[in-house]
């Protein structure tokens, strides 16, 4: 292994920059030449490749987003496009590629590895939707961003004695909703993994009001969606003024938390070690506090398990 490259792909996530920094610095430390690729697979097939040094990653550990930019590149699903990508990497003398992204990006990396490029994936997505790892980069920061928003909404909600419905991101994964609901003391958490009853949600609200609760906070995962419609229905049933807030892309930005920076640094350093060991087609994760790596196909085949226990705790503490 002489030359490696790093790219970010799919939705950006806080902590991606810290991971880029770790890959670049760990690579240089091991005597490798390190290249950066702009705009994910799209930049790769357009040859947007440049050499990086220690200074290229100065002053980025605390920044959200990704200095390498990110993109979605649907054409990468075509074999001939991946063959072109492998050829371009060969021309640049790149033997190993670190891909920071989610499951789609990992699938692209695995397919690329079948064309002779050594690839290692680092999980970067706020959704926390990869079953093989307990945490993905960006999840913890997004969670704290949601919490900050919830705290603010609680102030105005309490003042007006209103119900507040907050829709959070996560695609089909309810983790951002569940974790923020628990940490934010929400009365109800609605996630795609669990059926919910509107009557039960309204009963919780009305019981709470009777007990003297000053506000009601309901977190809805985007995989369920429909926060505005839900607000109208709840207002209609309970007779209590209700407002919906869809947090949107604000959840993807911001300075990464200490947890995400440390995780990114550990994963970036491990990615370089794996490439030095000539490993390929693998993805990195964290389990029980340890950094792990698995074959990409095996990792992506693990079914996602919803944290029932945490859901029950959130429910039992909510009234
Ligand atoms: P994420 O990596 O966050 O899951 P996407 O699903 O949008 O985000 O995937 C990011 C990119 O990964 C896609 O734009 C595409 O370039 C590549 N990709 C996704 N799925 C595949 C696939 N089946 N084969 C090859 N490349 C893929
Ligand atoms: O995967 C991260 C994520 O923010 C999801 O939570 C959300 O569904 C999606 O990306 C939004 O994608 P876009 O940035 O393309 O609107």
């Amino acid at each position: 292994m002489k030359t490696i490259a790093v790219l970010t792909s799919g939705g950006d996530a806080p902590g991606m920059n810290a991971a880029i920094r770790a890959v670049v610095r760990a690579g240089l430390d091991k005597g490798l030449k390190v290249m950066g690729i702009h705009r994910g697979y799209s930049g790769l097939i357009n040859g947007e490749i440049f050499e990086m040094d220690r200074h290229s990653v100065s002053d980025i550990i605390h920044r959200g987003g990704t200095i390498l930019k990110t993109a979605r590149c649907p054409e990468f699903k075509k074999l001939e496009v991946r063959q072109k990508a492998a050829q371009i990497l060969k021309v640049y003398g790149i033997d190993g590629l670190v891909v920071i992204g989610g499951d789609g990006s990992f699938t692209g990396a695995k397919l690329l590895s079948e064309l002779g490029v050594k690839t290692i994936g680092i999980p970067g997505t706020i959704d926390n939707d990869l079953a093989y790892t307990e945490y993905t980069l960006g999840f913890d920061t997004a969670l704290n961003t949601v919490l900050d928003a919830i705290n603010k909404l609680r102030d105005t909600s309490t003042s007006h004695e209103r119900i507040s419905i907050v829709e959070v991101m996560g695609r089909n994964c309810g983790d951002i909703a569940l974790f923020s609901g628990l940490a934010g003391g929400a009365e109800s958490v609605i996630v795609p993994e669990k059926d919910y009853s509107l009557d039960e949600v309204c009963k919780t609200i009305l019981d709470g009001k009777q007990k003297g609760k000053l506000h009601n906070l309901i977190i809805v995962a985007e995989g369920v969606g429909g926060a505005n419609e839900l607000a109208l229905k709840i207002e209609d049933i309970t007779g209590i003024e209700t407002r919906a807030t869809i947090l949107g892309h604000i959840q993807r930005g911001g300075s990464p938390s200490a947890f995400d920076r440390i995780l990114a640094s550990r994963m970036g350093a491990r990615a370089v070690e794996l490439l030095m060991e000539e490993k390929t087609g693998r993805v990195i994760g964290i389990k029980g506090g340890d950094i792990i790596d698995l074959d990409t196909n095996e990792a992506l085949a693990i079914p996602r398990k919803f944290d029932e226990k945490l859901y029950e705790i959130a429910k039992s503490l909510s009234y």
Side-chain angles (χ1 to χ4, degrees), residues 210-254:
Q210 241 182 7
K211 283 183 209 144
K213 278 209 167 198
L214 297 174
H215 63 84
N216 259 285
L217 182 65
I218 301 170
I219 310 289
V220 188
E222 75 172 337
V224 177
N228 287 312
E229 295 74 15
L230 190 63
L232 290 176
K233 283 187 200 157
I234 290 179
E235 185 167 291
D236 197 39
I237 297 172
T238 62
I240 304 171
E241 243 191 331
T242 306
R243 294 286 187 271
T245 306
I246 298 173
L247 289 183
H249 287 83
I250 196 150
Q251 293 161 92
R252 285 237 298 259

Side-chain angles (χ1 to χ4, degrees), residues 28-63:
L28 293 171
D29 198 51
K30 298 228 176 311
L32 299 172
K33 185 171 167 185
V34 186
M35 314 289 278
I37 301 175
H38 275 140
R39 300 181 181 80
Y41 294 126
S42 179
L44 168 55
I45 57 181
N46 291 326
E48 295 179 55
I49 301 173
F50 62 101
E51 188 167 349
M52 298 183 86
D53 57 24
R54 292 188 81 81
H55 186 65
S56 328
V57 289
S58 295
D59 206 28
I60 67 165
I61 195 166
H62 62 298
R63 290 188 202 282

Side-chain angles (χ1 to χ4, degrees), residues 179-287:
F179 283 62
S180 65
L182 174 60
E187 275 64 33
S188 302
V189 175
I190 303 176
V191 290
E193 293 90 343
K194 300 293 282 186
D195 290 333
Y196 81 99
S197 136
L198 186 58
D199 287 344
E200 206 180 296
V201 170
C202 292
K203 186 173 177 310
T204 307
I205 293 166
L206 293 170
D207 286 352
K209 195 176 164 82
Q210 241 182 7
K211 283 183 209 144
K213 278 209 167 198
L214 297 174
H215 63 84
N216 259 285
L217 182 65
I218 301 170
I219 310 289
V220 188
E222 75 172 337
V224 177
N228 287 312
E229 295 74 15
L230 190 63
L232 290 176
K233 283 187 200 157
I234 290 179
E235 185 167 291
D236 197 39
I237 297 172
T238 62
I240 304 171
E241 243 191 331
T242 306
R243 294 286 187 271
T245 306
I246 298 173
L247 289 183
H249 287 83
I250 196 150
Q251 293 161 92
R252 285 237 298 259
S255 180
S257 64
F259 180 87
D260 277 329
R261 295 183 201 192
I262 292 165
L263 187 61
S265 304
R266 293 176 75 192
M267 287 181 168
R270 184 69 188 131
V272 172
E273 279 173 8
L274 289 171
L275 287 176
M276 294 293 287
E277 292 163 18
E278 304 284 328
K279 298 272 168 55
T280 182
R282 298 188 76 75
V283 288
I284 296 178
I286 180 163
K287 201 169 181 186

Side-chain angles (χ1 to χ4, degrees), residues 13 26 32 42 48 73 78 111 115 150 160 162 271 301 304 311:
L32 299 172
S42 179
E48 295 179 55
C73 175
K78 293 187 198 146
L111 292 170
L115 301 174
I150 288 175
H160 284 265
R162 281 173 175 159
R304 221 166 42 74
Y311 182 74

Side-chain angles (χ1 to χ4, degrees), residues 39-105:
R39 300 181 181 80
Y41 294 126
S42 179
L44 168 55
I45 57 181
N46 291 326
E48 295 179 55
I49 301 173
F50 62 101
E51 188 167 349
M52 298 183 86
D53 57 24
R54 292 188 81 81
H55 186 65
S56 328
V57 289
S58 295
D59 206 28
I60 67 165
I61 195 166
H62 62 298
R63 290 188 202 282
T66 159
I67 58 159
L68 292 178
K69 311 272 190 289
T70 185
R72 295 202 163 95
C73 175
E75 46 294 22
F76 206 68
K77 291 182 183 167
K78 293 187 198 146
L79 175 62
E80 63 270 26
V81 174
R82 291 195 302 275
Q83 282 169 334
K84 181 181 169 192
Q87 187 54 37
I88 289 173
L89 288 169
K90 204 170 167 194
V91 167
Y92 278 87
I94 295 167
D95 323 291
L97 176 66
V98 179
V99 171
I100 307 170
D103 55 350
S105 306

